Amino acid sequence: MAVQWPLLIFSVLLGASSGVLVFLGIGEIRGTFKKVRFPLALIALVLLAVGGCASALHLGHIDRALYILGNVGSGLSKELFAVGFTGLMTLIYVILSRKDYPTPTKVFGILAALGGLVLPLVAGASYMMPARPAWDSFTLPLMYLGTGLGMGFVLAAAFVFAKGDEADEKLALKLAGIGIVCSVAVMLIYVVWIAVAPYPDATRSIARLAGGDLAVAFWLGVVVVGIGCPIALTVLARQSFAAKPGEDADAVGGVDASGAATAAPAAAAKLSTVNALWTSLACLVVGNVVLRIIMYAVATSVEQLIY
């Protein structure tokens, strides 16, 4: 099956947007990330809007969206409603977080996060169809959700380190690690599904990924760039964060904690952490794009093989 680039771009951007919203929702529950919640919520809204525009290009004509709304039971209709709900909750959250109304901001932040959890699942489920065995599994919605959490959590964590409060950095880095674990796990789970999907055929077999025409994309794009590099970079980020001098004078050999002796090492450690997170995000995006290219490549139809 040919790669549907508008839908591919949409799925990557909605995943990153959803991950950021879940990150902020956790922050609202924990009472953290207040300094960065407005710009991060705005970033999530922009990502969702750009992704929605890319998805609309797949229709050819924008007015065809009206036909989708006419069939509320279809996967595309559910996806459209999920995008609308998440976008509306995020817009309200952006406005409230700018003015800082504590209770309403928390409520809509959590609602936006719930939308962020549901949207990738709905978008992934819209692809599930018996005629395409490589898509007909819950592992596809899980892949959309888990990789979105990876991209969104890492993006948000990098932003916290760049613009947020130092008190929030530990939680942000922990969430980034959780996001990476989720992303790696669902990538591997989806690859396993490709290997065990019913009605096996060479066009959608694990052999294409392991040593066939998709091997370079799989091993280099998914395994090395999309899985290995983010893991290594997250470990590096954690090590850099752990190496940052604290406020204890003993950490700098008895030099006063407010002295210049601590400033340079702390700044260098923070810069190393930020760079590792941004690079990890770039690798996650590349890995996600390549995995989705593979997703389309193995989506051959049972009907096509019969007739």
Side-chain angles (χ1 to χ4, degrees), residues 1 131-133 201 203-204 208 296-302 304-305:
M1 182 178 183
R132 300 188 186 276
D201 184 80
T203 59
R204 52 180 177 272
R208 286 190 73 187
Y296 280 104
V298 298
T300 53
S301 172
V302 174
Q304 172 185 332
L305 298 174

Side-chain angles (χ1 to χ4, degrees), residues 65-112:
L66 298 176
Y67 297 106
I68 296 175
L69 292 175
N71 183 9
V72 294
S74 71
L76 291 178
S77 292
K78 295 175 183 176
E79 182 180 295
L80 188 58
F81 285 125
V83 169
F85 173 81
T86 305
L88 179 59
M89 295 302 103
T90 305
L91 176 60
I92 296 173
Y93 180 57
V94 168
I95 296 171
L96 292 174
S97 63
R98 180 65 171 176
K99 297 297 183 180
D100 193 21
Y101 300 103
T103 300
T105 301
K106 183 174 183 177
V107 169
F108 281 95
I110 293 174
L111 287 174

Side-chain angles (χ1 to χ4, degrees), residues 15-35:
S17 173
S18 296
V20 171
L21 291 175
V22 175
F23 183 98
L24 290 173
I26 294 172
E28 290 297 336
I29 294 172
R30 297 286 297 271
T32 56
F33 310 136
K34 292 184 179 181
K35 187 175 180 179

Side-chain angles (χ1 to χ4, degrees), residues 12 28 71-72 79 92 106-107 122 126 128 130 135 141 183 216 220 265 267 277 288 294 296:
V12 172
E28 290 297 336
N71 183 9
V72 294
E79 182 180 295
I92 296 173
K106 183 174 183 177
V107 169
V122 173
S126 68
M128 293 173 59
W135 287 2
S183 180
V216 174
L220 181 60
L277 289 172
N288 272 275
I294 291 173
Y296 280 104

